Structures are given as C-alpha cells and as structure tokens.
Amino acid sequence: MLRAFTKTLLLRRRVFLFALLLAAPLHAYAQDPESILPEVAAPPADIGVVTVSDEEESSSAQEPGAFTSVIKPSQYDRRAKSTTELLSETVGVDVTSLGGEGALSTASIRGSSAEQVAVFVDGVRINSSLTGTVDFSTIPMESIERIEVIRGASSARFGTDAIGGVINIVTKRAGAKRAIDAKITGGSFLTLQTAESWREPREDWDLVLAHNHHSTGGEFTFTSAGIQMNGGSVADPRTYRRLHNKSISEDLLAKVNLDMPGSTSLGVSNDFFWTDRNVPGMEIETTLLYPANPLDAHEELFRDTTGVRFNADDLGVKGLSMEAGATNSFNHDHFTDPTPALGGPIDVTYVSLSPEGHAMLMHEASPGPADISSMLRYQYGYDYACDSSPISGRPLMGSHGRHSNAAFAEVEVGFFDRKLKFIPSARVEGATGRRTRASWRVSAIGRPAGFVEIKANAGTAFRYPTFMELYWPDQGYLRGNPDLEDELSFGWDAGVAFTPPKTRIEIAYFQNYIDNQIIYVPISAFTIQPVNTSRVKSQGIEFSVSFEPWRWLGIFGNYTWLDAKYRSNGQRLPGRPDHKANARIEGRAGPLTLFGNLQYVSAYPLNAANTVSITQRTTADAGATLTFAKHFFATLEVKDVTNVQIYDARGFPLPRRSYWFTMGAKT
C-alpha cells in the first residue's frame, strides 16, 4: 500500500512540474500580449506537398505541438456525409452554409473569419487570392484520406491567413495492396452522388485515381425567417419553396509516386474540380421579389491544383535530407445575373492563380541526451487575380499581382526519450506592396506519464488583404479600400490530454488577440467598404472525448465555449456562437451498425451592432448500415430528424428533414 501511495505521489508531482514548466512562459505573455506583437509577415506561402507519417490520431506532422483534430473520412464513407458536415462536427470549428446541396460553405476556427483560416490540399494552398476564402462544398469527402484541423495561430509555419488555424487536407494514397472502391448515394432534392477510386501500389511506383460526381435538383421547402433584414419581427412566417437551386459537379484526382535510385522519390498530383450551379440568392428574392423579378443568377467555376515534389533522404551526411517542389492553384469563376434585384445585368469572369516553388533541408541528430530535428525552408510565390466582362462600361477590378519571398526555420528539441519537447520556429517574409515582416511560434509538449500529455503554444499570425478587399471597383453598394493594413494577431493556448485504454479526453484553453481586423461597414447610405477596426479578443475552452469500451460501441463528443468580442465596445463578433456541442454514438451488432448525431448551437448575432440574431438550435441525424458479403454495404439515414428550420446566415435558409440511401463496395 505504501509503495502504491508513493508511486501515485511521484506521478502527481511529475504532472504538476510539467504543467508549471509549460505554463510559466504563457503566463508572462498573457499579462501583456500587446507588448510582444511584432510586425508579422504578409506574403503567400504553402507547406509543400504534405507527406504525413504515422502520427498519433490527434497530432499533425506539420504542427506537432498544436491542438489538432484529425478526421478520417474512411470512418464515414458508408454514409451520405460531406466535407462541410465533417468540419461542422469538429471542436473549435464553425461552418457557414449558404444553401442546400452544393452551395457555398465556409469555415472558421476559434472565432476567426473564414478568410483567417489557411487551407491546403496535398500541400497546395487553395485560399483564393481574390476573396481569401475556400468553398468546402467543392472538396468531395470521398477523395480525402485525412483532414487535420490545426487550431491556433500558425503563420510561422504556414504563412498568410493562419490566424485562427489551418485546415490541412491529404487526399487518398496507395496502401499496401490494390484497392478498388465504388459508392452511390441517392436522396432528397433529386440528389445523386457517385464515387469511384482505384489505388495501385507497385514495387517502384504507385498510382491513385479517384472520381466524384454530384448533382441535385436542389429545391426544398423552408419556413421564412422570423425577423426582417432590419431586425424587426415578421408577424406570420410562411412556407416557401427554395427555387433555382440546381447544381452539378465533377472532381478527378490523380496521384503518382515514383521510387528512384539513391533514396530519392518523385511525387506528382493533380486535382480538377468543376461545378455548374444556379444561385437562388437571399430568401427575399423568393419570398418578395419572385416572380416579378426572375431567378436567373448562375455560376460556373473550376479549380485545378497541381503539386510536384522531389525528396532525397541521403545527402551524404547522416540524418540530412531535402525536399524541393512546385505547386499551383488555379481558379476560374464565371458569374451571370441578367436581372439582379439591384442594379443592371451582371456578367463577369474572375481568374486567380498562385504558383509557388520551394526548397527545404531537414536534419536529425542525437547529441548527448537530446534529440534534435531541424528544418530550413525557402520559398517563392506569386499571387495573381483579374476580372473581365463582355458588358460595355462595367466597372472592373482589373489585374493585380503580388510576388513574395519567405524563409522559415524550425528546431525540435526532445529530452528524456522525447517525453519533453520544445519546438521554436520563425519566419521572415517580404511581398510586393507589403512590408517585410516576421512571425514566430513556440510550442512545448510534455508527457509526464504514458497516458498524459500537456501542451502549450504561443505565436503570432497575420493576414494580408485580398485583392477584392483592396481593389474592388466602386459599383453598386460595395467598394474596395486600397489603404487597408495587414491583420496581425498574437495567440496562446494550453491544455492536457488523457489517453487511458479505449478513451481519449482533451481540454484546452486559448486566447487570440487580433489587430486591424477587417470588416465591411457602411460608409454612406448606399455603400459599404472594408475597414480596419479596433482590437478583437477571442478566448474559449475546447473539450473533446471519445470512448470505445467495447468493439460494438463508440461514444464521441465535443464542446466549444467561445467569447469573441470587439475590445472597444464589448460587442460580440457576428456569426460566432458562444456555445456549440456535438455528440455521436455508434453501435455495432454483427453486420449491422446503428449511428446517431446530435448538434447544439447557441444563439448568435448576425451584425456588428448585435441587434439581429439567429436563435439557438438542436438538430439530430440517425441511420443504419448493413454490411454483407464482406465487401458490400447499404446505408439508410435521416438528416434533421426533428425537421428543424436552420439558418447559418441571414437570408439563406438550409434544408430541413431529408432522406438518403447509400450502397457500395470496398475491397
């Protein structure tokens, strides 16, 4: 008994000492975060073609110190899930959808704006240089192997936009043996989705081909909002049909990896996405203006992302390796609206591209009691965007470009068999028309016991204004602002994870201070413009748990508390709920799997004055999957079982109850 008591006391002492060691520097930063906000870099950057090693389920090879949610779409591939839905159910993430199937969907992390989240697909940064956002409805879940949601300021590693965090998407890779998968889903709103993939591993090369199709009639019934645009109450909300919502999309992914002589390898990837969709606009166009004003807005867009990577693992010095590569993201968006609610006809084409090249050296060594991994990286990038229109006299943004150069260095030092690690990193960047800046990040990780992990991080981040924010022509009710300053931030977080057998519990606290936050405000009775505002402070708690006591039962959940406010007046940032919770349960009995999801979102304001809000909501999904003949499956599921009317944004109703049937085969 005395021995057990002594062992417990020593364990608690170790945990306490590790917590003090990690938290002490963050306490100093938290006392006066404004005093340590340096100028932070502003040009574009990416992380190269990502190769994820066999990391733990909760970690990222790119940011091992960060609090990270790892999503494995293969756990959901027998269901009618989308990338947007997977992100919406992730701790610390808020998703805004502007319609039903195939409609624009964006994501924020820890109270950030959608523009303050950097998004990568196989190492290619896909944030548009024109708008800064990413439409997650254009990234099919079936092509994805892994999604890493890296929460917290990460510009030192990832460059621009990473104020709230990073969403790092890794597409399917070839496994140990040949795999051929096929899946078809049919459901409400005349929706059809198909997915096929072929993964071929060979001795000296491997190949991945994946195709996804999605089409929908898109129309659904909705109950009009209970508030008017000015915040007044609607006396008698009515049921309408969401018209003009049809869409079709295709996605084709191809990846080839070659093992070459001398411990070298070459990887090439290309992902092509195309969609053609009607745009129904805000609900007022259906409820008040139609049919006198036709619904005829339409959009066609395609995106192509390409990456080439060369690796050499043995450069003649023990532990020294290198990587070199080039990537590009190309976007083409054609939008037309012959009869808009305001102004004259619209017919405009937007084009943006972001080529980048990089070279990186990596070294691993174990001098004395320490294990040291270091990295040095240089990259050059170019962002370009333009618009054009066949309509004579239409005001246009024109063509704009931005060159950038960046240098990044990182050292990971581990002690006591890596039970204690420190990871400092720094970045210096310069870009055309923006000042040269620097960003940094320091991470500390401690494992005082086999099932306890303590993490703490502090760092700066930035976002430079998009071309649309800077140069949008003065037309209609919107115009750009060429005098915008870069957004700058300082953030820190600390937390602990417990991983006893069959269980994982993680809790983290964070703070993020943002200077020069860019928001659109009225500057006249008929014009809004982006401006830099006073400091914003976001703080919150993230809690997640997974529990699988038996092979036939899994229970998963997370909760996020967020307090995001303008420091000048204490008003809440619009579009950010204070409370969000998700729960999921799965039960398996032989070939049958039953599952259910529950999501709660508290009320949140829709405008900066906090006078208009979306009410709280609770939604539930349920379904069952039957697996037969080893490789075949069929799934029936119901989304929004209680038929709740949902709004993520003012004027954009989402579908209510819907039914889905999926069947397919996996080898």
Side-chain angles (χ1 to χ4, degrees):
M1 180 179 296
L2 179 61
R3 181 179 298 177
F5 174 80
T6 303
K7 184 176 180 180
T8 301
L9 184 61
L10 290 174
L11 175 60
R12 290 180 178 177
R13 183 181 179 186
R14 290 174 66 189
V15 173
F16 179 70
L17 290 175
F18 271 86
L20 285 179
L21 183 61
L22 299 183
L26 296 185
H27 176 73
Y29 295 154
Q31 301 307 305
D32 187 14
E34 300 181 42
S35 67
I36 59 173
L37 265 173
E39 292 188 346
V40 202
D46 66 54
I47 55 176
V49 177
V50 178
T51 302
V52 178
S53 59
D54 292 330
E55 294 288 317
E56 297 178 9
E57 290 297 305
S58 59
S59 66
S60 167
Q62 303 301 315
E63 284 279 29
F67 289 93
T68 302
S69 297
V70 177
I71 307 170
K72 293 284 189 72
S74 58
Q75 299 173 348
Y76 307 89
D77 61 2
R78 287 172 168 81
R79 307 175 193 176
K81 281 283 190 181
S82 67
T83 304
T84 298
E85 290 172 317
L86 293 182
L87 291 172
S88 178
E89 297 168 7
T90 303
V91 67
V93 179
D94 290 309
V95 171
T96 299
S97 296
L98 299 186
E101 293 293 307
L104 174 68
S105 298
T106 59
S108 71
I109 300 175
R110 290 185 169 178
S112 70
S113 67
E115 294 85 355
Q116 293 169 348
V117 176
V119 183
F120 295 84
V121 175
D122 286 338
V124 184
R125 180 178 169 272
I126 64 171
N127 295 74
S128 167
S129 58
L130 186 68
T131 66
T133 60
V134 172
D135 181 0
F136 287 95
S137 73
T138 67
I139 305 176
M141 184 201 78
E142 288 76 11
S143 292
I144 300 173
E145 178 163 313
R146 177 183 176 101
I147 303 174
E148 298 175 351
V149 179
I150 302 169
R151 308 190 298 276
S154 300
S155 285
R157 163 76 75 141
F158 296 96
T160 185
D161 304 335
I163 288 178
V166 175
I167 297 177
N168 181 37
I169 297 174
V170 180
T171 58
K172 286 184 175 180
R173 299 174 296 173
K177 60 180 181 179
R178 176 183 299 165
I180 300 175
D181 303 334
K183 170 182 167 182
I184 182 170
T185 297
S188 298
F189 327 121
L190 299 177
T191 301
L192 175 67
Q193 180 174 322
T194 64
E196 315 86 37
S197 66
W198 172 34
R199 287 171 284 176
E200 183 72 28
R202 294 292 180 131
E203 183 177 352
D204 296 325
W205 59 273
D206 59 66
L207 170 69
V208 175
L209 294 175
H211 168 259
N212 293 272
H213 164 87
H214 184 278
S215 60
T216 182
E219 296 184 4
F220 57 88
T221 59
F222 69 96
T223 302
S224 57
I227 56 173
Q228 298 173 344
M229 297 296 290
N230 61 5
S233 298
V234 176
D236 184 25
R238 296 172 50 192
T239 298
Y240 295 87
R241 189 165 186 83
R242 189 69 159 152
L243 303 172
H244 194 63
N245 209 22
K246 181 179 180 180
S247 70
I248 183 173
S249 64
E250 306 286 347
D251 180 87
L252 181 61
L253 169 70
K255 300 173 70 172
V256 177
N257 287 288
L258 304 175
D259 291 330
M260 303 170 66
S263 300
T264 61
S265 63
L266 179 69
V268 181
S269 65
N270 189 84
D271 187 17
F272 175 84
F273 177 86
W274 167 85
T275 188
D276 188 290
R277 59 192 179 191
N278 295 335
V279 182
M282 301 184 71
E283 69 174 42
I284 191 174
E285 297 192 44
T286 299
T287 59
L288 294 181
L289 303 181
Y290 179 81
N293 189 80
L295 298 172
D296 49 10
H298 176 264
E299 180 181 35
E300 182 181 22
L301 64 87
F302 67 84
R303 180 187 67 244
D304 189 78
T305 58
T306 303
V308 179
R309 181 200 72 246
F310 174 79
N311 284 95
D313 292 333
D314 185 2
L315 297 181
V317 177
K318 183 179 179 180
L320 183 64
S321 59
M322 64 86 67
E323 176 185 297
T327 67
N328 183 52
S329 176
F330 175 82
N331 293 270
H332 183 281
D333 188 347
H334 181 210
F335 178 79
T336 61
D337 190 353
T339 57
L342 294 174
I346 300 173
D347 188 338
V348 62
T349 298
Y350 307 101
V351 174
S352 65
L353 56 92
S354 298
E356 180 270 336
H358 71 273
M360 179 166 60
L361 288 175
M362 297 155 285
H363 184 255
E364 294 185 359
S366 299
D371 295 314
I372 300 177
S373 300
S374 56
M375 180 186 305
L376 183 64
R377 176 188 174 97
Y378 166 78
Q379 63 189 47
Y380 165 79
Y382 178 65
D383 273 354
Y384 171 83
C386 69
D387 58 353
S388 60
S389 176
I391 299 178
S392 177
R394 173 181 171 82
L396 294 171
M397 178 189 71
S399 301
H400 298 277
R402 179 185 287 138
H403 299 269
S404 67
N405 291 273
F408 163 73
E410 179 179 275
V411 178
E412 178 179 319
V413 183
F415 300 96
F416 313 118
D417 293 328
R418 294 186 176 268
K419 291 180 180 179
L420 177 63
K421 292 192 290 187
F422 294 97
I423 311 173
S425 57
R427 186 186 199 93
V428 177
E429 299 193 15
T432 307
R434 318 305 298 186
R435 289 183 294 176
T436 299
R437 302 182 182 273
S439 57
W440 60 270
R441 180 182 174 93
V442 178
S443 301
I445 309 170
R447 292 186 173 90
F451 61 89
V452 179
E453 180 181 73
I454 304 172
K455 289 184 179 182
N457 303 273
T460 57
F462 66 92
R463 183 178 80 87
Y464 64 96
T466 66
F467 291 140
M468 183 174 288
E469 289 170 332
L470 291 168
Y471 307 118
W472 191 250
D474 186 2
Q475 56 177 308
Y477 62 90
L478 180 66
R479 75 180 187 188
N481 181 1
D483 296 325
L484 288 173
E485 296 289 338
D486 300 340
E487 292 180 334
L488 309 174
S489 81
F490 164 75
W492 69 272
D493 56 31
V496 60
F498 302 94
T499 55
K502 304 179 181 179
T503 305
R504 178 178 176 82
I505 300 173
E506 181 181 271
I507 185 168
Y509 173 77
F510 66 87
Q511 286 189 355
N512 197 17
Y513 299 84
I514 304 174
D515 278 341
N516 302 330
Q517 174 96 6
I518 297 174
I519 64 170
Y520 283 85
V521 299
I523 60 173
S524 71
F526 303 103
T527 307
I528 63 173
Q529 182 183 51
V531 299
N532 294 112
T533 65
S534 60
R535 168 165 282 203
V536 167
K537 177 184 177 181
S538 295
Q539 63 177 336
I541 295 174
E542 298 163 338
F543 173 80
S544 58
V545 59
S546 63
F547 181 47
E548 298 183 82
W550 304 284
R551 295 184 61 185
W552 52 270
L553 179 64
I555 302 172
F556 314 90
N558 60 69
Y559 165 75
T560 305
W561 169 69
L562 175 67
D563 180 33
K565 295 179 179 178
Y566 297 104
R567 299 197 67 186
S568 59
N569 56 16
Q571 299 279 31
R572 294 168 58 190
L573 269 65
R576 281 81 161 177
D578 287 347
H579 306 279
K580 185 175 180 181
N582 295 280
R584 175 166 58 93
I585 186 170
E586 294 184 3
R588 296 172 286 275
L592 182 65
T593 300
L594 302 177
F595 56 88
N597 299 302
L598 189 70
Q599 183 178 82
Y600 168 78
V601 180
S602 65
Y604 55 88
L606 291 173
N607 59 351
N610 292 183
T611 57
V612 182
S613 298
I614 283 182
T615 59
Q616 67 179 10
R617 68 175 189 251
T618 302
T619 55
D621 305 334
T625 297
L626 179 65
T627 303
F628 52 95
K630 189 177 180 179
H631 298 297
F632 299 90
F633 64 89
T635 301
L636 178 65
E637 55 191 303
V638 184
K639 298 182 181 180
D640 193 4
V641 174
T642 55
N643 204 29
V644 177
Q645 179 62 68
I646 301 172
Y647 284 81
D648 279 348
R650 181 170 51 173
F652 294 91
L654 301 181
R656 295 187 290 182
R657 184 188 296 131
S658 58
Y659 302 89
W660 305 89
F661 179 72
T662 302
M663 61 185 303
K666 293 179 65 65
T667 60

Short mmCIF file of all heavy atoms in Angstrom, two decimals, residues 387-418:
data_model
loop_
_atom_site.label_atom_id
_atom_site.label_comp_id
_atom_site.label_asym_id
_atom_site.label_seq_id
_atom_site.Cartn_x
_atom_site.Cartn_y
_atom_site.Cartn_z
N ASP A 387 -10.30 40.25 -63.37
CA ASP A 387 -11.70 40.06 -63.75
C ASP A 387 -11.93 40.68 -65.12
O ASP A 387 -11.19 41.55 -65.57
CB ASP A 387 -12.66 40.63 -62.71
CG ASP A 387 -12.43 42.12 -62.45
OD1 ASP A 387 -11.46 42.69 -62.98
OD2 ASP A 387 -13.25 42.72 -61.72
N SER A 388 -12.96 40.19 -65.80
CA SER A 388 -13.30 40.69 -67.14
C SER A 388 -14.79 40.53 -67.36
O SER A 388 -15.45 39.73 -66.68
CB SER A 388 -12.52 39.92 -68.23
OG SER A 388 -12.84 38.54 -68.17
N SER A 389 -15.33 41.30 -68.30
CA SER A 389 -16.77 41.25 -68.58
C SER A 389 -17.04 41.69 -70.01
O SER A 389 -16.40 42.64 -70.50
CB SER A 389 -17.53 42.15 -67.61
OG SER A 389 -18.91 42.19 -67.94
N PRO A 390 -18.00 41.03 -70.70
CA PRO A 390 -18.38 41.47 -72.04
C PRO A 390 -19.32 42.67 -72.03
O PRO A 390 -19.62 43.23 -73.08
CB PRO A 390 -19.07 40.23 -72.61
CG PRO A 390 -19.67 39.56 -71.42
CD PRO A 390 -18.69 39.79 -70.30
N ILE A 391 -19.80 43.07 -70.86
CA ILE A 391 -20.73 44.20 -70.76
C ILE A 391 -19.94 45.50 -70.84
O ILE A 391 -19.08 45.78 -70.01
CB ILE A 391 -21.54 44.13 -69.46
CG1 ILE A 391 -22.36 42.85 -69.41
CG2 ILE A 391 -22.45 45.35 -69.32
CD1 ILE A 391 -23.16 42.67 -68.14
N SER A 392 -20.25 46.32 -71.83
CA SER A 392 -19.53 47.56 -72.06
C SER A 392 -19.76 48.53 -70.90
O SER A 392 -20.88 48.69 -70.41
CB SER A 392 -20.00 48.20 -73.37
OG SER A 392 -19.37 49.44 -73.57
N GLY A 393 -18.68 49.15 -70.44
CA GLY A 393 -18.78 50.16 -69.40
C GLY A 393 -18.89 49.62 -67.99
O GLY A 393 -19.00 50.40 -67.04
N ARG A 394 -18.83 48.31 -67.82
CA ARG A 394 -18.92 47.75 -66.46
C ARG A 394 -17.64 48.04 -65.70
O ARG A 394 -16.54 47.74 -66.17
CB ARG A 394 -19.16 46.25 -66.53
CG ARG A 394 -19.12 45.58 -65.15
CD ARG A 394 -19.34 44.09 -65.21
NE ARG A 394 -19.09 43.49 -63.91
CZ ARG A 394 -19.96 43.46 -62.92
NH1 ARG A 394 -21.16 43.98 -63.10
NH2 ARG A 394 -19.66 42.91 -61.75
N PRO A 395 -17.73 48.60 -64.48
CA PRO A 395 -16.52 48.83 -63.68
C PRO A 395 -15.88 47.50 -63.29
O PRO A 395 -16.57 46.56 -62.90
CB PRO A 395 -17.04 49.57 -62.44
CG PRO A 395 -18.38 50.10 -62.83
CD PRO A 395 -18.93 49.12 -63.83
N LEU A 396 -14.55 47.42 -63.39
CA LEU A 396 -13.85 46.18 -63.09
C LEU A 396 -12.69 46.44 -62.13
O LEU A 396 -12.18 47.56 -62.02
CB LEU A 396 -13.31 45.54 -64.37
CG LEU A 396 -14.36 45.04 -65.37
CD1 LEU A 396 -13.69 44.63 -66.68
CD2 LEU A 396 -15.13 43.87 -64.79
N MET A 397 -12.28 45.39 -61.45
CA MET A 397 -11.15 45.46 -60.55
C MET A 397 -9.84 45.56 -61.33
O MET A 397 -8.88 46.20 -60.89
CB MET A 397 -11.13 44.22 -59.65
CG MET A 397 -9.98 44.14 -58.69
SD MET A 397 -9.88 42.54 -57.85
CE MET A 397 -9.37 41.49 -59.21
N GLY A 398 -9.76 44.86 -62.48
CA GLY A 398 -8.54 44.83 -63.26
C GLY A 398 -7.63 43.68 -62.86
O GLY A 398 -8.05 42.74 -62.20
N SER A 399 -6.37 43.77 -63.24
CA SER A 399 -5.40 42.71 -62.96
C SER A 399 -4.44 43.17 -61.86
O SER A 399 -3.97 44.31 -61.87
CB SER A 399 -4.60 42.37 -64.22
OG SER A 399 -5.47 41.94 -65.25
N HIS A 400 -4.13 42.25 -60.95
CA HIS A 400 -3.23 42.57 -59.85
C HIS A 400 -2.36 41.35 -59.54
O HIS A 400 -2.84 40.21 -59.61
CB HIS A 400 -4.00 42.99 -58.60
CG HIS A 400 -4.82 44.22 -58.80
ND1 HIS A 400 -4.30 45.50 -58.70
CD2 HIS A 400 -6.13 44.37 -59.12
CE1 HIS A 400 -5.25 46.38 -58.94
NE2 HIS A 400 -6.37 45.72 -59.19
N GLY A 401 -1.11 41.59 -59.19
CA GLY A 401 -0.19 40.52 -58.85
C GLY A 401 0.65 40.87 -57.63
O GLY A 401 0.84 42.05 -57.30
N ARG A 402 1.16 39.83 -56.98
CA ARG A 402 1.99 40.04 -55.78
C ARG A 402 3.05 38.95 -55.71
O ARG A 402 2.74 37.77 -55.62
CB ARG A 402 1.10 40.00 -54.54
CG ARG A 402 1.87 40.18 -53.24
CD ARG A 402 0.95 40.02 -52.03
NE ARG A 402 0.07 41.15 -51.87
CZ ARG A 402 -1.22 41.08 -51.56
NH1 ARG A 402 -1.80 39.90 -51.41
NH2 ARG A 402 -1.94 42.16 -51.42
N HIS A 403 4.33 39.35 -55.77
CA HIS A 403 5.44 38.43 -55.59
C HIS A 403 5.78 38.32 -54.11
O HIS A 403 5.60 39.27 -53.34
CB HIS A 403 6.68 38.92 -56.34
CG HIS A 403 6.49 39.03 -57.82
ND1 HIS A 403 6.77 38.00 -58.69
CD2 HIS A 403 6.05 40.07 -58.59
CE1 HIS A 403 6.51 38.38 -59.93
NE2 HIS A 403 6.07 39.64 -59.90
N SER A 404 6.30 37.17 -53.70
CA SER A 404 6.67 37.00 -52.30
C SER A 404 7.90 36.11 -52.18
O SER A 404 8.14 35.23 -53.01
CB SER A 404 5.52 36.40 -51.50
OG SER A 404 5.27 35.07 -51.92
N ASN A 405 8.67 36.35 -51.13
CA ASN A 405 9.80 35.52 -50.77
C ASN A 405 9.73 35.27 -49.27
O ASN A 405 9.41 36.18 -48.48
CB ASN A 405 11.13 36.20 -51.10
CG ASN A 405 11.36 36.31 -52.59
OD1 ASN A 405 11.89 35.38 -53.20
ND2 ASN A 405 10.96 37.44 -53.18
N ALA A 406 10.01 34.04 -48.85
CA ALA A 406 9.90 33.69 -47.44
C ALA A 406 11.00 32.70 -47.05
O ALA A 406 11.36 31.82 -47.82
CB ALA A 406 8.53 33.10 -47.13
N ALA A 407 11.49 32.85 -45.82
CA ALA A 407 12.43 31.91 -45.22
C ALA A 407 11.88 31.45 -43.89
O ALA A 407 11.39 32.27 -43.10
CB ALA A 407 13.80 32.56 -45.04
N PHE A 408 11.93 30.14 -43.66
CA PHE A 408 11.35 29.56 -42.46
C PHE A 408 12.37 28.63 -41.82
O PHE A 408 13.07 27.87 -42.51
CB PHE A 408 10.09 28.77 -42.85
CG PHE A 408 9.61 27.80 -41.81
CD1 PHE A 408 8.99 28.23 -40.65
CD2 PHE A 408 9.79 26.43 -41.99
CE1 PHE A 408 8.56 27.32 -39.69
CE2 PHE A 408 9.35 25.51 -41.05
CZ PHE A 408 8.74 25.97 -39.88
N ALA A 409 12.47 28.68 -40.48
CA ALA A 409 13.38 27.80 -39.74
C ALA A 409 12.66 27.26 -38.52
O ALA A 409 11.89 27.98 -37.86
CB ALA A 409 14.64 28.55 -39.32
N GLU A 410 12.91 25.98 -38.21
CA GLU A 410 12.29 25.35 -37.06
C GLU A 410 13.25 24.33 -36.46
O GLU A 410 13.97 23.64 -37.19
CB GLU A 410 10.99 24.67 -37.45
CG GLU A 410 10.28 23.96 -36.30
CD GLU A 410 8.97 23.33 -36.75
OE1 GLU A 410 7.96 24.05 -36.77
OE2 GLU A 410 8.98 22.13 -37.10
N VAL A 411 13.25 24.25 -35.13
CA VAL A 411 14.05 23.26 -34.42
C VAL A 411 13.16 22.56 -33.41
O VAL A 411 12.42 23.21 -32.67
CB VAL A 411 15.25 23.91 -33.69
CG1 VAL A 411 16.03 22.86 -32.92
CG2 VAL A 411 16.15 24.63 -34.68
N GLU A 412 13.21 21.23 -33.40
CA GLU A 412 12.50 20.45 -32.40
C GLU A 412 13.53 19.75 -31.52
O GLU A 412 14.34 18.96 -32.02
CB GLU A 412 11.58 19.42 -33.06
CG GLU A 412 10.84 18.53 -32.07
CD GLU A 412 9.91 17.54 -32.74
OE1 GLU A 412 9.24 17.92 -33.74
OE2 GLU A 412 9.88 16.37 -32.30
N VAL A 413 13.51 20.06 -30.23
CA VAL A 413 14.47 19.50 -29.28
C VAL A 413 13.72 18.63 -28.29
O VAL A 413 12.79 19.10 -27.62
CB VAL A 413 15.24 20.61 -28.54
CG1 VAL A 413 16.29 19.99 -27.62
CG2 VAL A 413 15.88 21.57 -29.52
N GLY A 414 14.12 17.36 -28.20
CA GLY A 414 13.46 16.43 -27.30
C GLY A 414 14.40 15.91 -26.23
O GLY A 414 15.58 15.65 -26.49
N PHE A 415 13.87 15.79 -25.02
CA PHE A 415 14.63 15.26 -23.89
C PHE A 415 13.88 14.08 -23.27
O PHE A 415 12.66 13.95 -23.44
CB PHE A 415 14.83 16.34 -22.82
CG PHE A 415 15.57 17.56 -23.30
CD1 PHE A 415 14.88 18.69 -23.72
CD2 PHE A 415 16.96 17.59 -23.34
CE1 PHE A 415 15.54 19.82 -24.17
CE2 PHE A 415 17.64 18.71 -23.78
CZ PHE A 415 16.93 19.83 -24.20
N PHE A 416 14.63 13.24 -22.53
CA PHE A 416 14.04 12.12 -21.81
C PHE A 416 13.22 11.23 -22.75
O PHE A 416 12.03 10.98 -22.53
CB PHE A 416 13.15 12.61 -20.66
CG PHE A 416 13.78 13.67 -19.81
CD1 PHE A 416 13.22 14.94 -19.73
CD2 PHE A 416 14.96 13.42 -19.13
CE1 PHE A 416 13.81 15.92 -18.96
CE2 PHE A 416 15.55 14.40 -18.34
CZ PHE A 416 14.97 15.66 -18.26
N ASP A 417 13.88 10.77 -23.83
CA ASP A 417 13.21 9.95 -24.85
C ASP A 417 11.99 10.67 -25.42
O ASP A 417 10.93 10.09 -25.64
CB ASP A 417 12.78 8.60 -24.25
CG ASP A 417 13.98 7.75 -23.88
OD1 ASP A 417 15.02 7.86 -24.57
OD2 ASP A 417 13.88 6.99 -22.91
N ARG A 418 12.15 11.96 -25.64
CA ARG A 418 11.13 12.83 -26.24
C ARG A 418 9.88 12.98 -25.36
O ARG A 418 8.81 13.34 -25.85
CB ARG A 418 10.74 12.34 -27.64
CG ARG A 418 11.87 12.45 -28.65
CD ARG A 418 11.41 12.09 -30.05
NE ARG A 418 12.46 12.29 -31.02
CZ ARG A 418 12.66 13.41 -31.72
NH1 ARG A 418 11.86 14.44 -31.51
NH2 ARG A 418 13.63 13.51 -32.59
#
